[in-house]
Amino acid sequence: MAKAECTPKWNTLALRNRKTCPTPEKSFQTTFTPVSKDKNSQTAGHLAGGDTQSSNGPSGQFLARESIESPSKVLLMLVAGLSFSTRLYMITEPPHVCWDETHFGKMGSYYINRTFFFDVHPPLGKMLIGLAGYMSGYDGTFPFIKPGDKYENQNYWGMRGFCATLGSFLPIFAYLIVLELSNSCTAAIIAATLLIFDTGCITISQYILLDPILMFFIMAAVLSMVKFNQQRYRSFSASWWLWLVLTGINLAGALGVKFVGLFVIILVGLNTIWDLWRLLGDMSLSLVDIAKHFLARAFALILLPVILYVTIFAVHFVVLNKSGPGDGFFSSAFQSRLIGNNLHNASMPEYLAFGSTVTIKNLRIAGGYLHSHWHLYPEGVGARQQQVTAYLHKDYNNLWVVHRQQDNNSQSGNPDLVRHGDIVRLEHKETTRNLHSHLHEAPLTKKHFQVTGYGINGTGDANDLWQVEVCGGRKGDPVKVLRSKVRFLHRATGCVLYSSGKTLPKWGWEQIEVTCSPYLKETPSSQWNIEDHINPKLPNISLSVLKPNFLEILLESHIVMFRGNSGLKPKDNEMNSKPWHWPINYQGLRFSGVNATEYRVYLLGNPVVWWINLASLGLYLTMVAVASIATQRGFSLGQQRIGGGLLMLGWLLHYAPFFTMGRILYFHHYFPAMLFSSMLTGLTLDILFRSADLLLHPPYSYWFQRAGQLLLLFSILYSFYLFHPLSYGMTGPLAHEPGSAMADLKWMDSWEF
Amino acid sequence: MLQLPLVVTAQVDLLLVLVSLLAFWTRLSHLNYPNAVVFDEVYYGQFVSLYMKRVFFIDDSGPPLGHMILASGAYLGGFDGNFVWNRIGAEYPSTVNVWSLRLLPALCGALCVPLVYLLTLELKFSHLSALGAAVLLLLENSLIVQSRFMLLESVLIFFVLLAFFSYLRFHNAPSSSWSRYSWLILSGVSCGAAVGVKYMGLFSYLLLLVVASLHTWKLIGDKTISHMNVCVQSVHRVLCLVVVPVLLYVFWFYVHLSFLNRSGPHDQLMSSAFQASLQGGLSRITRGQPLEVAYGSQVTLRSSVSQPIPCWLHSHKVNYPIRYDNGRGSSHQQQVTCYPFKDVNNWWIIKDPGRQQLVVDTPPRPVRHGDVIQLVHGMTSRFLNSHDVAAPMSPHTQEVSGYIDFNVSMPAQNLWRVDISNREAESEVWKTILSEVRLIHVNTSAVLKLSGVSLPDWGFRQLEVVADKLFKAHSSSLEWTVEEHRYGTSQEQKEREAELHSPTHIDVDRKISFWAKFVELQWKMLTVKQEESEHKYSSSPLEWITMETNIAYWLHSSTNAQIHLIGNPVSWGVANLSLLAYQLLAVVYLLRRRRGLKDVPDGVWDQFVCLGCVCVGGWLVNFVPFLLMDKTLFLYHYLPALCYLYLLSPALLEHAHTHLLSSVTHQRALCVGALAVLLSIFLTYRTFCPLTYGSPELSAHQLQGLKWRDTWDILYRRR
């Protein structure tokens, strides 16, 4: 209903004050060059709805910004109200852990408990969740073990409410962005309506997830960017600075929640480059002015976000100072920071000796411990001997015993120290096999040799012998625990023990490959350090490990995160969601509940909304193609410029990269792109309705416009009424069984609610 | 009237002739040395053999035109296909005409050199630049190596260059001449051929489309031309550059499929209907089978998925273990699995639940969509059964078993509803091979499905079959087709066993249309996943730019003579430099032009932009996609991109010479520098010749001297 009131009002108002303020042109728009005046005035009539007295050429875009504000404010309140009420409705249902809440809720708790953990995403999102939980009285004791666990008396509503609040801002931002881009309330209200009544957006906002937080920052960044573009004629004014800095802050926020935030950074970056290019071509500006512009943007959009992003990590490391489940992913030096870790204020024998039990850690970042276990290499992969891998977690199978070449176990007195150039035999403590290598291809890195566990109880062969070499050391230097970088040279083949960083397939339990490399260059992959060192015959000394500085920690944690991200490969039997499934709403995600008796929530977009979006993308492209060919041929459509280029680019940037990703993908990855797509729909449909007078005469075209808007509103509302149980929960038999209330709604066979 | 005197005037560009002759000499001399299988010949050779024998195969590495070209070389040489390409270095017998096998790729490789010459001229640079580009290509060791063997890169590069050359010829011709459209058609044909040789040709084809659409866009903006004329010209371009290549691409498949009509090693990847269209193989078994499945029919049911391997519904006289390793219990009934080999235990009999008999009535009563049936295992007479017991490996689904009554209140639930998923009518009859059927368990409405997991040792590592309630709509793991089929005639168990052991033979042909075969083959080629593992000589794209790695192609079985894919390091460096220089220059030009400072006149600027579009664009599209690929990659994947850079270097030099350097001394210095570089290119070419041509043999010491980079693998024989 709101739409119907909006358009005529602002049109007339616009005409009255049309000289007050120019609507600046926007970047990324299709430009329509105005041509001969008489042609234009014939066709430009539809520009302002039913008013035939409209302007011609560029003056058609003159519009009074102040005058739109009163109706748009009312509408904005309406959007906000609807948005909050749909997101916060039944926020505490279901009262158990849903889907990925098991991860992000748990990580929120870790912040409250200050326990160190490892996650593939940057920390801001989880920090905010933790903060929200802390403020609302959650004490961090709930274990979040698996989806479906009952919350009982825990205060989980705070965390959910926080996410839902951020999620409620999305339609509001969409409304404002579209309003800025098009100056049309109708377009803005269409975009907002699509988002408010989309079941998918509601569902994803209602739980403890990173997505609402991420999307909040993405949309806020886009909004500030668009607002900043509007300030173009008031360079270096207060509001210009405000929006510029806000853009930078939101970019840092987006990247701080998930690396997907990178896409919006690229969007803003392209927009900025475009903007600078425009300034460069403006001959009224001196080079000094342009340099000022450039520096201002470099400060606000590069320097400021970097500082903020680094600050987030600083807070992360300061808050999490207790040892926890993520320790093994990090280097020995890093671990020594954590209270409760065995390396924190460590005390152990200082020099490596024969007969010691040790763990050996690769120096490559996230390199893992040298590991072996009771499993053989499968047939066809080198010799069928016991596997040797690198493993990131702490485990009994990481323990190795250092022996002499010829072992005389009955040694009394102080054991001899291992020195640079000594020949050792490394025996796996659990399985008593020796670390062994031979001239077989390694499983993945074919240029290297295979490393296995061989022999039993210390008896092996000549291929079990390794020469210890301290990097930068001379013959006779002892090996310092934790501090010396050690290489193990294979005696028989001359190769060096190496961790390739490649993940072994299933038979290797997805641990990391260990090989023997014939290339003797010193790289962290071929260097190891002794981490734990147990030798009862030697006195323990307290060691203060070199504490890493902040930049090293930052770099290390990023490399670990990237490794973790690319390591998330789809499993063989898992149903994998493909990017082309997403825009057609092919398949949703089960958030909670499997059986008929359980309370089920299913993440699936409102099909009507999504299919309208899909159609609008095609429609938009057709409209742009037709319009630009016509202009190129010299016709004028007199059409108002469409601000959709930016949104189209946003959609592409948030969608296309997924096609090239090797990691496992889920349906919810599409939601940021869906936001852009919905905003684009608002613009496109608005233009479409208003183009009616190309075919129809004024009263009819006006009716057509109204009818189209009403039909759209009605279909969105009705489909929301139909599909709302997807978000707010349903019980009863599954939809593919007869007798289910949802049976008629299973429009696609692939939906599983 | 004949006009006299009859005069023929011909202009011959002697430079062009010279470089062409040199190109033929470098590429074609001693082509049959070494007389042994060299590197990827071992891969392409097997397909050539199959072509000669007209045996069907699938190769997911590229469309069929490349194989066809190699095969036509073999055909000319009278190769009969009787050679097993099993290892690199194996000697060819005297029956194999090695020269003709390698001739076509070498010819294509040689023709690239004059093509580059002509292409530079079409880019509107001088003959001297053209000569420079031709020499760079001529003396590039890696291109020589790649052309001299039975490999496809040189063919691909040839077609790509030809496409660009003929397109630019079309573009530069005066718009009044009609003959220029023949160039456009030639361009379209070359594009179709390039894509048909290797999928990599697609990158260059797309670039050509972009260039062509930019030109067309300008044409549309030209208001001096009438609307009609613009329409006609645009349609012509679309026809020649889009429709022709697409049709050609399909045509390669048409030839491929009509040539290869015998069954072979890759049959099992294809659907039953496809296999039945091949001579021998499945069609030998299935020929003349009754079409309609009836009550009493004896059938084998093949799962529609061919991942991990094709298999048939199977059962045998072994029960599920009472308890699994993880402590869960089973029904202890007879195992039902999916078995990847033909076996008598794959036979099932379709039974009407209302009647006892297991033979087909006369006339047969066909089974239709929606009918409820029972399936009886032919050899053990157990009924196919499912119940609410968790399946062994996929516990979220139901176990499927051959029903045994242990009197433990576990009643038989052996009714299945036939659901033909590719039906056209509601009461469609179940057809052999053609119908894709889902078997829906009547009691639980679960669907019979291949879970994709293999059973452990107690199940003989066969594939697990389950019944799944929550099924996805279009998953082919749910669908089964009847492959072998006959009408059962024996009621007695003993007789029936004998009947099942006897082979099925009768006669009829089943045809599927070319389009169905094309779509299926294309889809299989794109989706068949080979196990990706690292090769000893594979490399990552970033290593290509600096040529970190080489590939050892061949090593003489007793001496140190060897062939390597190593580029000419000096040319390689020149190429990288010119790429950098162009980008820098372009940025400076662009920024200055934006500020209104025009360094070069507009005509030269257009030429410069066009050069960048073709050469830098060509390098980008042929290099950047590899960064995103998850495949095993080799140095030779970089060669097409490299050719674009060789095109760029001399042209850029000419641009610098004429437009950047104002003083004569600078210009002379540049010329001298260029000459010096050319000379050193020639010298390095000579230095690496022994590794390019495989002769003469070098001593270990000399080989050590050729190891210019530590990362290169050059082989020495231990004496």
Side-chain angles (χ1 to χ4, degrees):
Chain A
M1 289 308 100
K3 284 186 299 190
E5 294 159 19
C6 160
T7 340
K9 256 188 215 167
W10 70 261
N11 275 332
T12 43
L13 286 168
L15 282 167
R16 218 172 297 142
N17 310 328
R18 67 171 174 227
K19 278 185 195 127
T20 33
C21 172
T23 307
E25 40 171 44
K26 278 157 223 89
S27 45
F28 293 104
Q29 289 164 344
T30 343
T31 34
F32 295 89
T33 37
V35 278
S36 59
K37 285 208 166 184
D38 51 329
K39 235 187 197 177
N40 211 15
S41 52
Q42 288 166 10
T43 45
H46 66 280
L47 228 181
D51 192 308
T52 44
Q53 281 286 302
S54 170
S55 49
N56 44 28
S59 59
Q61 291 135 23
F62 280 62
L63 199 54
R65 299 194 53 74
E66 300 84 49
S67 61
I68 332 176
E69 279 180 4
S70 47
S72 79
K73 264 194 181 147
V74 175
L75 284 174
L76 185 63
M77 298 308 290
L78 188 71
V79 167
L82 278 173
S83 178
F84 275 95
S85 50
T86 46
R87 265 78 180 160
L88 292 172
Y89 174 64
M90 292 177 70
I91 186 76
T92 51
E93 291 293 315
H96 56 242
V97 179
C98 288
W99 197 52
D100 269 1
E101 283 189 345
T102 172
H103 298 304
F104 301 121
K106 192 182 339 183
M107 290 165 186
S109 317
Y110 282 140
Y111 277 103
I112 297 174
N113 301 327
R114 310 189 66 172
T115 311
F116 189 76
F117 66 94
F118 165 73
D119 185 38
V120 295
H121 304 301
L124 180 64
K126 288 151 298 187
M127 255 154 48
L128 291 176
I129 290 173
L131 186 68
Y134 185 69
M135 305 284 269
S136 61
Y138 166 64
D139 54 6
T141 49
F142 187 70
F144 286 98
I145 290 169
K146 62 174 197 305
D149 289 354
K150 292 271 180 290
Y151 281 116
E152 310 292 350
N153 299 320
Q154 301 287 349
N155 273 328
Y156 63 97
W157 59 268
M159 291 186 275
R160 276 198 187 166
F162 169 72
C163 291
T165 311
L166 291 189
S168 310
F169 277 104
L170 300 179
I172 303 171
F173 286 161
Y175 177 84
L176 292 172
I177 292 170
V178 176
L179 193 62
E180 287 294 335
L181 284 176
S182 66
N183 280 318
S184 154
C185 282
T186 324
I189 204 79
I190 293 175
T193 318
L194 287 173
L195 290 182
I196 291 175
F197 296 111
D198 177 49
T199 47
C201 284
I202 295 176
T203 313
I204 205 157
S205 305
Q206 282 196 315
Y207 300 92
I208 309 174
L209 300 173
L210 296 185
D211 302 79
I213 310 176
L214 171 73
M215 290 196 283
F216 172 82
F217 282 118
I218 289 177
M219 289 295 268
V222 174
L223 177 64
S224 343
M225 177 182 80
V226 170
K227 287 272 190 194
F228 171 72
N229 282 347
Q230 297 287 2
Q231 305 293 326
R232 152 175 323 166
Y233 297 107
R234 285 181 242 149
S235 303
F236 302 107
S237 64
S239 57
W240 187 90
W241 275 110
L242 175 73
W243 290 116
L244 183 61
V245 169
L246 269 183
T247 314
I249 292 173
N250 285 313
L251 288 185
L255 189 65
V257 177
K258 265 189 180 188
F259 286 122
V260 174
L262 201 62
F263 301 145
V264 74
I265 293 183
I266 296 173
L267 179 69
V268 172
L270 288 176
N271 179 64
T272 310
I273 290 170
W274 186 260
D275 198 24
L276 285 171
W277 187 247
R278 182 188 58 82
L279 290 171
L280 189 69
D282 184 348
M283 300 305 272
S284 63
L285 291 174
S286 70
L287 280 176
V288 179
D289 291 333
I290 292 173
K292 275 190 203 159
H293 273 283
F294 176 77
L295 287 177
R297 284 169 177 77
F299 162 74
L301 300 180
I302 299 174
L303 200 61
L304 182 68
V306 168
I307 292 173
L308 286 176
Y309 182 74
V310 171
T311 315
I312 293 168
F313 270 88
V315 172
H316 174 73
F317 291 125
V318 168
V319 169
L320 302 183
N321 57 1
K322 290 184 197 156
S323 165
D327 294 9
F329 286 88
F330 292 87
S331 65
S332 312
F334 188 98
Q335 294 179 29
S336 67
R337 293 175 55 255
L338 301 170
I339 301 168
N341 189 289
N342 51 357
L343 296 178
H344 185 73
N345 299 329
S347 136
M348 57 180 73
E350 191 180 6
Y351 295 111
L352 181 67
F354 286 105
S356 297
T357 306
V358 294
T359 57
I360 302 171
K361 188 159 174 79
N362 192 248
L363 273 184
R364 202 170 48 87
I365 292 169
Y369 298 96
L370 190 68
H371 178 97
S372 185
H373 41 226
W374 287 111
H375 294 278
L376 305 184
Y377 283 105
E379 244 167 288
V381 182
R384 228 172 121 66
Q385 296 172 3
Q386 185 167 305
Q387 296 173 13
V388 171
T389 63
Y391 187 50
L392 285 167
H393 298 275
K394 297 193 166 189
D395 182 319
Y396 275 120
N397 276 325
N398 298 342
L399 291 177
W400 298 81
V401 185
V402 185
H403 287 295
R404 264 181 204 292
Q405 189 174 350
Q406 251 73 45
D407 216 8
N408 36 348
N409 263 339
S410 56
Q411 216 181 35
S412 58
N414 268 359
D416 290 343
L417 298 184
V418 178
R419 294 177 188 278
H420 180 103
D422 282 357
I423 312 269
V424 299
R425 186 164 55 76
L426 286 173
E427 185 183 312
H428 188 235
K429 195 166 187 210
E430 202 70 12
T431 62
T432 71
R433 305 237 189 264
N434 291 328
L435 188 72
H436 176 100
S437 180
H438 45 216
L439 294 170
H440 281 277
E441 277 180 356
L444 300 178
T445 317
K446 304 282 186 195
K447 296 171 189 178
H448 295 183
F449 302 126
Q450 189 191 23
V451 174
T452 64
Y454 182 73
I456 192 150
N457 280 333
T459 28
D461 63 11
N463 274 333
D464 299 349
L465 299 179
W466 301 80
Q467 183 168 27
V468 177
E469 189 188 287
V470 181
C471 294
R474 274 173 307 171
K475 192 160 170 55
D477 284 357
V479 178
K480 283 186 201 151
V481 170
L482 286 171
R483 270 175 287 188
S484 290
K485 298 173 180 174
V486 184
R487 299 207 303 166
F488 295 94
L489 290 160
H490 192 235
R491 283 293 288 168
T493 56
C495 58
V496 60
L497 191 68
Y498 190 92
S499 158
S500 70
K502 293 172 190 157
T503 310
L504 292 172
K506 227 175 183 175
W507 54 256
W509 311 97
E510 280 144 24
Q511 296 174 3
I512 299 168
E513 184 196 37
V514 167
T515 64
C516 194
S517 162
Y519 304 96
L520 297 181
K521 217 157 95 187
E522 279 191 13
T523 62
S525 301
S526 61
Q527 294 172 330
W528 305 77
N529 69 356
I530 310 296
E531 189 171 296
D532 296 309
H533 182 214
I534 305 157
N535 194 333
K537 294 180 183 161
L538 287 175
N540 284 349
I541 314 171
S542 175
L543 294 173
S544 60
V545 186
L546 292 170
K547 290 247 180 348
N549 67 28
F550 175 68
L551 282 181
E552 282 167 5
I553 302 180
L554 190 67
L555 181 70
E556 180 174 347
S557 55
H558 273 84
I559 293 178
V560 174
M561 277 191 283
F562 283 123
R563 289 256 167 74
N565 245 323
S566 56
L568 292 174
K569 288 272 156 65
K571 304 259 170 13
D572 283 348
N573 298 312
E574 223 163 80
M575 196 55 197
N576 196 5
S577 174
K578 303 273 188 325
W580 63 264
H581 289 170
W582 303 340
I584 51 177
N585 210 13
Y586 179 76
Q587 203 176 36
L589 269 173
R590 220 176 280 130
F591 262 42
S592 135
V594 184
N595 298 331
T597 50
E598 287 176 69
Y599 184 94
R600 279 168 292 136
V601 175
Y602 189 68
L603 175 70
L604 184 76
N606 181 339
V608 173
V609 170
W610 285 52
W611 294 339
I612 288 177
N613 280 345
L614 195 62
S616 307
L617 282 172
L619 189 65
Y620 173 77
L621 289 179
T622 326
M623 273 162 47
V624 168
V626 169
S628 44
I629 288 181
T631 347
Q632 182 80 355
R633 272 317 283 167
F635 297 106
S636 169
L637 296 179
Q639 187 100 354
Q640 195 184 17
R641 54 190 65 235
I642 314 173
L646 190 70
L647 299 176
M648 187 77 198
L649 185 71
W651 177 77
L652 266 181
L653 279 174
H654 283 85
Y655 180 46
F658 287 103
F659 283 95
T660 62
M661 281 188 198
R663 64 163 277 173
I664 186 161
L665 297 172
Y666 296 105
F667 177 56
H668 72 272
H669 289 146
Y670 183 67
F671 276 87
M674 187 266 172
L675 298 177
F676 285 98
S677 167
S678 301
M679 289 192 282
L680 187 63
T681 305
L683 281 182
T684 314
L685 291 184
D686 184 40
I687 300 273
L688 180 77
F689 291 146
R690 282 197 275 151
S691 307
D693 57 1
L694 287 177
L695 299 172
L696 300 170
H697 291 294
Y700 300 106
S701 66
Y702 178 76
W703 293 342
F704 175 83
Q705 200 176 328
R706 286 285 161 278
Q709 288 162 353
L710 282 177
L711 182 70
L712 185 68
L713 184 69
F714 174 75
S715 54
I716 293 171
L717 283 178
Y718 185 67
S719 61
F720 176 67
Y721 165 74
L722 285 180
F723 284 96
H724 75 275
L726 292 181
S727 305
Y728 298 127
M730 46 201 162
T731 47
L734 300 171
H736 67 92
E737 286 165 11
S740 160
M742 305 298 287
D744 291 342
L745 294 177
K746 202 169 152 59
W747 293 352
M748 283 176 82
D749 286 341
S750 48
W751 296 347
E752 300 161 307
F753 43 81
Chain B
M1 278 302 284
L2 197 65
Q3 292 215 334
L4 290 171
L6 210 73
V7 178
V8 177
T9 39
Q11 283 185 312
V12 179
D13 186 343
L14 283 179
L15 277 181
L16 180 61
V17 173
L18 183 72
V19 289
S20 315
L21 286 179
L22 282 174
F24 279 105
W25 184 63
T26 49
R27 266 70 175 174
L28 287 169
S29 60
H30 301 294
L31 201 53
N32 45 10
Y33 175 83
N35 188 27
V37 179
V38 175
F39 199 61
D40 266 358
E41 283 188 351
V42 74
Y43 179 73
Y44 292 116
Q46 51 175 332
F47 299 129
V48 169
S49 287
L50 291 174
Y51 252 110
M52 292 297 108
K53 294 178 172 169
R54 308 187 65 173
V55 167
F56 174 78
F57 65 88
I58 296 186
D59 174 29
D60 63 333
S61 71
L65 179 65
H67 301 312
M68 282 195 274
I69 288 176
L70 297 181
S72 58
Y75 178 75
L76 291 177
F79 176 53
D80 56 0
N82 285 324
F83 177 71
V84 189
W85 315 72
N86 51 5
R87 71 181 173 86
I88 297 173
E91 293 270 329
Y92 286 112
S94 57
T95 50
V96 180
N97 187 345
V98 182
W99 189 80
S100 78
L101 280 177
R102 292 176 181 163
L103 178 66
L104 289 179
L107 275 180
C108 288
L111 285 174
C112 287
V113 177
L115 261 183
V116 161
Y117 185 93
L118 294 170
L119 187 50
T120 314
L121 293 184
E122 290 305 327
L123 286 167
K124 296 181 183 154
F125 285 89
S126 71
H127 284 265
L128 221 52
S129 299
L131 183 66
V135 168
L136 277 175
L137 222 65
L138 182 71
L139 298 180
E140 172 54 52
N141 302 62
S142 57
L143 286 175
I144 298 178
V145 172
Q146 200 69 16
S147 326
R148 285 172 56 86
F149 301 104
M150 204 173 65
L151 307 170
L152 289 178
E153 269 68 27
S154 61
V155 185
L156 170 71
I157 294 172
F158 169 74
F159 282 122
V160 167
L161 290 175
L162 185 62
F164 268 102
F165 165 67
S166 42
Y167 175 73
L168 288 176
R169 197 70 190 255
F170 157 80
H171 179 65
N172 292 336
S175 54
S176 53
S177 84
W178 277 95
S179 65
R180 69 187 194 131
Y181 279 103
S182 56
W183 287 110
L184 192 60
I185 291 173
L186 179 62
S187 178
V189 171
S190 321
C191 286
V195 178
V197 171
K198 283 204 147 212
Y199 284 125
M200 207 186 151
L202 201 62
F203 301 143
S204 297
Y205 173 49
L206 290 179
L207 178 72
L208 191 134
L209 281 188
V210 168
V211 172
S213 29
L214 284 179
H215 287 153
T216 315
W217 189 243
K218 261 187 204 151
L219 183 81
I220 293 176
D222 186 349
K223 302 199 179 83
T224 59
I225 309 175
S226 72
H227 295 325
M228 194 57 205
N229 197 347
V230 167
C231 275
V232 170
Q233 291 213 34
S234 312
V235 169
H236 274 156
R237 284 160 204 237
V238 170
L239 274 181
C240 294
L241 294 181
V242 179
V243 178
V244 168
V246 170
L247 286 182
L248 267 181
Y249 182 77
V250 177
F251 177 71
W252 308 138
F253 276 89
Y254 182 76
V255 176
H256 180 73
L257 285 172
S258 40
F259 250 113
L260 305 181
N261 55 3
R262 297 187 185 152
S263 83
H266 297 168
D267 280 18
Q268 300 219 317
L269 291 172
M270 312 305 288
S271 68
S272 303
F274 192 104
Q275 291 184 40
S277 74
L278 297 171
Q279 274 179 33
L282 187 68
S283 70
R284 200 175 57 229
I285 307 167
T286 55
R287 186 172 302 154
Q289 287 181 169
L291 180 66
E292 297 184 344
V293 177
Y295 290 106
S297 280
Q298 299 171 349
V299 296
T300 60
L301 288 163
R302 181 187 199 261
S303 166
S304 292
V305 251
S306 46
Q307 294 293 337
I309 24 177
C311 65
W312 291 268
L313 191 68
H314 179 96
S315 184
H316 40 231
K317 264 210 168 104
V318 182
N319 295 353
Y320 288 110
I322 298 180
R323 296 222 164 267
Y324 300 120
D325 289 344
N326 58 7
R328 270 190 303 116
S330 81
S331 67
H332 195 50
Q333 296 180 356
Q334 181 167 309
Q335 295 178 9
V336 172
T337 66
C338 201
Y339 187 55
F341 301 97
K342 300 259 169 180
D343 188 85
V344 70
N345 271 326
N346 296 347
W347 285 100
W348 297 81
I349 300 165
I350 294 178
K351 178 175 170 294
D352 185 346
R355 299 167 66 170
Q356 279 304 317
Q357 62 172 354
L358 290 176
V359 294
V360 176
D361 295 329
T362 37
R365 289 184 305 129
V367 183
R368 294 175 187 278
H369 170 73
D371 285 358
V372 173
I373 58 165
Q374 287 171 321
L375 281 168
V376 183
H377 187 237
M379 298 305 286
T380 61
S381 300
R382 300 272 180 223
F383 284 76
L384 186 74
N385 186 61
S386 179
H387 39 221
D388 196 14
V389 173
M393 310 307 289
S394 322
H396 52 284
T397 52
Q398 290 184 136
E399 181 189 271
V400 174
S401 63
Y403 184 70
I404 306 173
D405 195 358
F406 288 124
N407 266 331
V408 287
S409 67
M410 197 178 260
Q413 302 183 356
N414 51 20
L415 297 180
W416 299 85
R417 195 169 62 246
V418 176
D419 182 281
I420 302 176
S421 48
N422 59 349
R423 64 181 182 271
E424 272 149 19
E426 276 310 305
S427 62
E428 179 148 312
V429 176
W430 186 357
K431 298 201 189 82
T432 312
I433 292 180
L434 301 173
S435 296
E436 289 175 355
V437 170
R438 293 185 203 183
L439 293 170
I440 299 169
H441 192 229
V442 172
N443 297 65
T444 58
S445 64
V447 175
L448 190 73
K449 169 182 166 175
L450 186 65
S451 70
V453 188
S454 19
L455 297 171
D457 286 328
W458 55 256
F460 310 101
R461 308 226 159 249
Q462 297 175 2
L463 297 166
E464 184 196 35
V465 169
V466 300
D468 193 358
K469 269 187 185 173
L470 294 165
F471 52 88
K472 312 279 182 327
H474 298 293
S475 165
S476 57
S477 60
L478 308 170
E479 275 147 16
W480 303 82
T481 47
V482 169
E483 195 168 276
E484 291 171 76
H485 173 214
R486 67 186 147 204
Y487 286 157
T489 50
S490 39
Q491 181 68 23
E492 282 300 308
Q493 176 68 22
K494 282 277 170 244
E495 272 177 60
R496 198 160 56 233
E497 283 180 17
E499 189 181 354
L500 290 176
H501 275 293
S502 69
T504 44
H505 278 268
I506 330 163
D507 250 334
V508 186
D509 231 2
R510 295 213 203 296
K511 286 244 152 84
I512 59 170
S513 70
F514 163 70
W515 285 107
K517 285 168 87 171
F518 168 69
V519 168
E520 184 180 343
L521 179 60
Q522 179 71 78
W523 182 245
K524 278 278 148 58
M525 281 170 66
L526 294 177
T527 50
V528 163
K529 280 258 159 56
Q530 283 182 345
E531 212 175 294
E532 295 296 346
S533 67
E534 196 176 301
H535 187 275
K536 182 154 194 277
Y537 289 106
S538 62
S539 46
S540 73
L542 287 176
E543 293 171 349
W544 300 340
I545 299 179
T546 49
M547 204 165 57
E548 291 284 328
T549 50
N550 64 322
I551 307 177
Y553 267 24
W554 171 78
L555 175 66
H556 193 277
S557 52
S558 56
T559 69
N560 260 338
Q562 50 191 311
I563 294 179
H564 284 265
L565 184 77
I566 296 187
N568 186 329
V570 181
S571 322
W572 218 278
V574 168
N576 289 338
L577 267 185
S578 56
L579 180 66
L580 260 182
Y582 182 91
Q583 287 169 344
L584 273 179
L585 204 58
V587 169
V588 172
Y589 275 161
L590 268 177
L591 289 179
R592 286 173 62 88
R593 282 179 85 82
R594 187 73 185 165
R595 291 302 288 176
L597 304 164
K598 293 195 173 174
D599 302 280
V600 289
D602 279 339
V604 180
W605 171 248
D606 284 345
Q607 182 201 25
F608 185 74
V609 169
C610 186
L611 178 72
C613 277
V614 174
C615 298
V616 179
W619 180 80
L620 281 177
V621 294
N622 280 293
F623 178 70
V624 173
F626 287 112
L627 294 174
L628 307 172
M629 265 183 214
D630 237 1
K631 276 179 54 177
T632 316
L633 297 172
F634 294 93
L635 183 63
Y636 58 70
H637 285 121
Y638 186 58
L639 295 180
L642 190 69
C643 286
Y644 285 101
L645 292 188
Y646 287 159
L647 208 54
L648 175 70
S649 315
L652 197 61
L653 214 59
E654 184 188 330
H655 179 85
H657 181 266
T658 22
H659 301 290
L660 287 183
L661 302 179
S662 46
S663 87
V664 182
T665 37
H666 287 175
Q667 291 184 346
R668 283 207 186 120
L670 190 71
C671 291
V672 172
L675 271 180
V677 170
L678 274 185
L679 189 68
S680 54
I681 286 176
F682 177 70
L683 290 176
T684 28
Y685 160 74
R686 284 293 303 274
T687 316
F688 283 99
C689 260
L691 294 185
T692 306
Y693 294 98
S695 69
E697 184 202 344
L698 296 181
S699 69
H701 181 69
Q702 284 170 312
L703 286 172
Q704 193 92 53
L706 285 182
K707 199 173 172 181
W708 288 18
R709 300 195 77 118
D710 289 341
T711 43
W712 287 356
D713 279 319
I714 291 179
L715 315 162
Y716 322 105
R717 203 164 281 287
R718 282 186 189 168
R719 299 272 177 187

